[in-house]
């Protein structure tokens, strides 16, 4: 009997799949080596295949779609609720099958190679920035141990460290000067690495239509205008802008009962990197809104006048996310008069 849905549990080397018929009966249970997966699915009639959205899932999703199969990437948390019995590979594949039947589970869109390349670029930049911040904090602490206090800020440290090394009357020994000089060169290397990543991201914005349109929105710079399409694609998986903002965690968390709505702070669900970029962009818009006459700036200033500053910033970030959805999903250019 032909399987109409298949749950595929992917791994590094050995894959397990469970197939069910339209009636829900299990008709297929198989273990495959990695090299056998595509040739096996080539022999199958096109069907609905489910995979947990984990490492390697987007690659396999693209390959199976190329073979004519319908593909749904499911959040692991949603699949976990359908696990029946002890955790093993076949039970995991069966749980994916059961989760495929629930239309309320929102599938993860399969990313293109270009999206994954852009995400890798952002990930490498984040890693370099994190290393640079850790190095700067470590250098300030080590300098303080030698009686030299440097104010916070990488720019301040970058400027003061050569001066400290040139001072002959401080308490630094010859070995300490040598070690600090080596760490200073490492700091400069990380600065150059971050700069190269920024140049590549700016090139993406110049050369691709969607990031270029996003970059026209107030508060959305090269980082966010390339990170957003890398994460969501064209965003048509969301029915409206509020759904996109909710996915990023920029809407109030709800704790309601007995018909009484109760809204708390923002949910902070989804991608923290995107959320931080939206909030930083909103801060930039609000800090430069004074004296501007566009509709978005006037709205932000009016909100900041009656609500706490951080509340106004988050509300503006939510609005920027909704505007970004229009640009991504409808292909429209940003119009300040309509914002």
């Amino acid at each position: 009997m032909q399987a109409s849905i298949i749950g595929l549990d992917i791994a590094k080397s050995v894959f397990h799949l469970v197939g069910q018929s339209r009636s829900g009966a299990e008709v297929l249970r198989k273990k495959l080596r990695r090299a056998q997966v595509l040739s096996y699915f080539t022999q199958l009639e096109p069907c609905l295949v489910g995979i947990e959205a984990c490492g390697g899932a987007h690659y396999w999703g693209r390959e199976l779609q190329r073979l004519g199969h319908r593909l749904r990437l499911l959040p692991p948390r949603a699949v976990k609720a359908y696990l029946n019995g002890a955790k093993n590979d076949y039970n995991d594949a069966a749980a994916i099958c059961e989760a495929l039947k629930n239309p309320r589970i929102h599938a993860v869109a399969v990313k293109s190679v270009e999206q994954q390349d852009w995400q890798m670029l952002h990930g490498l930049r984040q890693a370099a920035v994190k290393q640079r911040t850790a190095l700067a904090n470590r250098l300030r602490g080590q300098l303080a141990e030698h009686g030299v206090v440097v104010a916070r800020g990488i720019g301040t440290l970058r400027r003061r460290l050569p001066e400290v090394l040139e001072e002959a009357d401080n308490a630094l020994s010859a070995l300490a000067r040598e070690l600090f000089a080596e760490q200073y060169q490492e700091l400069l290397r990380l600065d150059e690495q971050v700069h190269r990543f920024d140049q590549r991201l700016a090139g993406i914005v110049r050369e691709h239509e969607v990031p270029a349109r996003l970059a026209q929105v107030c508060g959305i710079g090269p980082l966010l205008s390339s990170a957003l399409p890398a994460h969501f694609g064209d965003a048509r998986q969301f029915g409206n802008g509020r759904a996109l903002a909710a996915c990023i965690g920029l809407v109030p968390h709800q704790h309601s009962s007995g018909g009484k709505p109760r809204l708390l702070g923002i949910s902070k669900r989804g991608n923290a990197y995107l959320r931080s970029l939206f909030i930083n962009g909103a801060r930039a818009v609000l800090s430069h809104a004074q004296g501007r006459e566009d509709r978005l700036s006037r709205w932000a200033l009016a909100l900041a006048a009656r609500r706490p500053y951080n509340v106004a910033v988050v509300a503006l970030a939510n609005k920027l996310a909704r505007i970004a959805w229009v640009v991504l999903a409808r292909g429209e250019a940003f119009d300040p008069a309509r914002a």
Side-chain angles (χ1 to χ4, degrees):
M1 184 181 296
Q2 172 67 35
S4 62
I5 61 173
I6 292 178
L8 178 62
D9 183 54
I10 64 175
K12 184 187 296 183
S13 302
V14 181
F15 293 31
H16 294 74
L17 59 90
V18 169
Q20 294 182 359
S21 64
R22 295 185 183 276
S23 64
E26 185 177 309
V27 296
L28 180 64
R29 179 174 286 227
K30 196 168 185 65
K31 179 170 72 173
L32 299 169
R33 305 292 298 182
R34 183 183 185 88
Q36 300 173 317
V37 174
L38 293 181
S39 59
Y40 180 79
F41 275 92
T42 302
Q43 303 169 15
L44 296 179
E45 292 291 327
C47 60
L48 176 62
V49 181
I51 302 176
E52 281 188 332
C54 57
H58 293 282
Y59 164 77
W60 289 109
R62 290 192 301 269
E63 293 298 315
L64 292 175
Q65 285 179 334
R66 186 175 56 82
L67 296 177
H69 297 284
R70 291 177 295 127
L71 201 287
R72 289 190 71 200
L73 297 184
L74 303 177
R77 177 185 291 183
V79 174
K80 182 70 174 178
Y82 290 89
L83 182 63
N84 188 16
K87 175 174 170 47
N88 58 55
D89 297 319
Y90 282 122
N91 283 349
D92 287 345
I96 295 172
C97 262
E98 295 299 327
L100 279 173
K101 302 174 186 177
N102 187 346
R104 296 186 62 188
I105 296 178
H106 296 286
V108 178
V110 178
K111 290 182 173 57
S112 66
V113 174
E114 186 176 65
Q115 285 179 270
Q116 289 191 297
D117 289 345
W118 294 0
Q119 277 197 314
M120 179 170 64
L121 181 55
H122 277 276
L124 292 173
R125 184 189 181 278
Q126 281 182 276
V129 170
K130 187 176 181 179
Q131 290 175 17
R132 184 177 64 177
T133 302
L135 175 61
N137 291 338
R138 185 167 63 246
L139 280 171
R140 273 199 300 271
Q142 291 167 341
L143 285 168
E145 292 292 336
H146 288 78
V148 179
V149 177
V150 178
R152 292 176 62 183
I154 293 178
T156 304
L157 178 65
R158 193 184 296 115
R159 183 180 64 255
R160 282 282 292 130
L161 190 51
E163 298 172 357
V164 170
L165 294 175
E166 291 176 1
E167 292 174 2
D169 56 348
N170 55 35
L172 295 182
S173 64
L175 177 58
R177 290 178 190 277
E178 181 181 338
L179 294 175
F180 279 124
E182 291 176 358
Q183 294 302 297
Y184 177 66
Q185 293 302 316
E186 177 66 12
L187 181 63
L188 295 181
R189 185 192 68 81
L190 289 171
D191 280 338
E192 177 60 27
Q193 190 175 28
V194 173
H195 179 65
R196 289 199 304 271
F197 289 140
D198 288 339
Q199 286 182 318
R200 286 175 173 169
L201 290 171
I204 288 173
V205 175
R206 287 193 305 270
E207 297 165 8
H208 295 80
E209 178 190 357
V210 174
R213 278 193 280 108
L214 278 172
Q216 297 173 2
V217 181
C218 303
I220 297 184
L223 287 180
L224 185 50
S225 61
S226 55
L228 199 61
H231 193 75
F232 293 123
D234 61 10
R236 283 181 292 182
Q237 58 188 296
F238 301 103
N240 50 43
R242 188 188 185 283
L244 173 63
C247 184
I248 301 172
L250 289 171
V251 299
H253 179 69
Q254 187 172 164
H255 188 80
S256 304
S257 180
K260 298 180 179 179
R262 183 187 177 199
L263 300 180
L264 309 175
I266 58 173
S267 66
K268 295 186 179 181
R269 299 181 68 177
N271 191 296
Y273 178 61
L274 290 178
R275 186 167 59 252
S276 67
L277 291 178
F278 269 114
I279 290 177
N280 287 336
R283 289 186 192 280
V285 172
L286 193 54
S287 64
H288 293 86
Q290 198 69 43
R292 297 174 67 95
E293 294 300 325
D294 61 279
R295 186 175 178 180
L296 184 63
S297 297
R298 287 189 280 109
W299 179 86
L301 287 173
L303 182 63
R306 64 179 188 271
R307 299 302 300 272
Y309 180 79
N310 286 334
V311 173
V313 166
V314 173
L316 180 54
N318 180 294
K319 191 173 185 67
L320 291 178
R322 295 176 183 230
I323 294 172
W325 175 83
V326 174
V327 175
L328 285 173
R330 297 179 181 172
E332 298 181 11
F334 173 64
D335 183 2
R338 297 171 54 192

